[in-house]
Amino acid sequence: MGNNMKKIKLDIVGLSYSQTQSGAYALVLGEVGGRRRLPIIIGSFEAQAIAIEIEKMTPSRPLTHDLFKSFAEAYNIMVQEVIIYNLVDGIFYSKLICSDGKKVMEIDARTSDAIAIAVRFECPIYTYEFILSSAGIVIEGNDFVYLENIAETPEEISSVSSTASSGFGALSTEELKAKLQEALAEESYEKAAKIRDELNKRKAS
């Protein structure tokens, strides 16, 4: 058990349009000082909320996450850290560790909301080793950071259908592994995540 529950710090390394789910985005978190990446599929509203804060753009009126922050600060509550603490059926579970200086509380949150809140409070994001080892994707070679014009409307991608995930089942494990490297080279994190899921399914069966 020991090492499995080791807390690992994550950074946001990228945010891009999802290649298979129209209107969705792939948020890529990276292990600090390591090569593993955790792609998480999130909705466009949450992607925008994260992007706006990273790019330090100020919306004319407070978004939901800004409201959450001003509400918390009005009562002297700080979010100390965010932990992605579980992964069940491809869904990441997160919680906010909050404190008013006397009492520490854990509050359950969707991962996309938790990250949008973490960037506003500038608090660290963590996950556990067992999550990173089962859902992480290893990046070969040098690192990169990219934030593609994510605050714009994703109209041009609405035509993309969700057929990309099909067809992996027919491939051999070796072919899948080659496809995984290909997808990573193209920065198709979401495709990579689907191939990873297929590979994990095989390991489990």
Side-chain angles (χ1 to χ4, degrees):
M1 183 76 179
N3 204 27
N4 249 347
M5 296 301 287
K6 197 176 95 185
K7 252 167 74 172
I8 293 165
K9 193 166 189 250
L10 300 171
D11 269 341
I12 297 173
V13 292
L15 192 48
S16 64
Y17 287 138
S18 145
Q19 279 99 9
T20 57
Q21 267 167 287
S22 80
Y25 288 74
L27 166 70
V28 185
L29 300 173
E31 171 183 29
V32 173
R35 292 208 167 281
R36 292 176 297 178
R37 300 287 175 268
L38 203 55
I40 298 175
I41 306 307
I42 64 173
S44 58
F45 171 75
E46 291 78 15
Q48 218 160 356
I50 292 167
I52 282 172
E53 188 58 34
I54 293 174
E55 305 276 19
K56 289 286 173 237
M57 296 184 278
T58 313
S60 52
R61 304 296 295 131
L63 295 172
T64 313
H65 301 93
D66 303 315
L67 175 62
F68 179 94
K69 181 172 190 246
S70 31
F71 183 81
E73 286 181 339
Y75 292 97
N76 294 314
I77 295 164
M78 289 305 294
V79 178
Q80 295 176 328
E81 60 182 65
V82 159
I83 304 180
I84 300 171
Y85 68 91
N86 206 358
L87 172 62
V88 182
D89 297 332
I91 294 166
F92 293 93
Y93 289 74
S94 295
K95 56 190 172 190
L96 312 174
I97 311 297
C98 308
S99 169
D100 62 356
K102 295 186 278 292
K103 195 160 139 212
V104 175
M105 301 289 286
E106 296 187 355
I107 298 173
D108 206 33
R110 293 187 313 163
T111 297
S112 51
D113 287 330
I115 305 292
I117 287 164
V119 292
R120 281 164 175 75
F121 279 93
E122 295 181 357
C123 73
I125 302 162
Y126 293 101
T127 191
Y128 294 117
E129 174 59 39
F130 79 92
I131 292 175
L132 209 46
S133 55
S134 73
I137 289 172
V138 180
I139 297 289
E140 304 295 333
N142 58 355
D143 222 345
F144 49 84
V145 174
Y146 59 98
L147 279 162
E148 315 171 348
N149 48 5
I150 31 191
E152 290 166 23
T153 49
E155 275 145 25
E156 67 275 13
I157 57 155
S158 56
S159 59
V160 181
S161 72
S162 57
T163 49
S165 65
S166 59
F168 291 144
L171 300 174
S172 74
T173 302
E174 274 56 53
E175 288 172 312
L176 274 178
K177 284 183 177 151
K179 278 242 181 300
L180 181 60
Q181 287 314 317
E182 242 168 72
L184 291 175
E186 293 162 10
E187 291 175 20
S188 316
Y189 284 110
E190 210 206 348
K191 192 158 131 203
K194 287 213 159 34
I195 298 170
R196 168 200 76 201
D197 291 344
E198 175 67 34
L199 283 165
N200 281 348
K201 239 190 342 223
R202 296 185 184 192
K203 264 193 291 208
S205 57

